[in-house]
Amino acid sequence: MTAPVSLDALRSALGNASAADGGATARLTRALEAIGWRGGDSVDAAEVAQEVLPSIASCVREHGELGAMYRQIAEILRASGPVLDGSLPPVHDYLPAAAEVVRRFTAPEH
């Protein structure tokens, strides 16, 4: 799994997501697209980003529990993903993707 980001890095990324680059939702959308999240029969990246953003904001502004935030994001990814054979993998299987989305969200954009 991708190494967790620090709370300070997360706070900084959230604060630096300006309207000029589309804001935090657009930045999250780009992070989701970068890991290969696509629409089709599942929820598209922009919709998932709108659901993920409150988890990040809550972590930064309220509880500060990175582990809880990663789990919440993993739950959102699981709930938003396609059901290929009538079932879904456990939430735990989505934790690496959740960590990678957060890592990309906090990374400087070029």
Side-chain angles (χ1 to χ4, degrees):
M1 184 162 98
T2 302
V5 300
S6 70
L7 189 56
D8 286 339
L10 195 58
R11 185 178 292 113
S12 177
L14 191 60
N16 290 336
S18 68
D21 69 359
T25 301
R27 192 174 176 124
L28 277 170
T29 299
R30 290 189 293 275
L32 285 157
E33 289 170 345
I35 68 162
W37 193 274
R38 297 291 183 265
D41 66 340
S42 62
V43 180
D44 73 23
E47 291 172 294
V48 175
Q50 290 175 352
E51 290 186 44
V52 168
L53 187 55
S55 295
I56 293 173
S58 177
C59 180
V60 168
R61 296 179 182 135
E62 296 171 19
H63 58 75
E65 295 291 330
L66 292 170
M69 177 197 65
Y70 285 120
R71 182 160 179 87
Q72 289 171 346
I73 294 170
E75 289 170 353
I76 291 166
L77 294 176
R78 182 180 186 269
S80 302
V83 179
L84 302 176
D85 63 356
S87 64
L88 290 169
V91 171
H92 181 268
D93 289 355
Y94 290 85
L95 286 172
E100 183 61 13
V101 166
V102 172
R103 186 194 68 76
R104 288 175 182 268
F105 176 73
T106 59
E109 290 190 300
H110 303 284

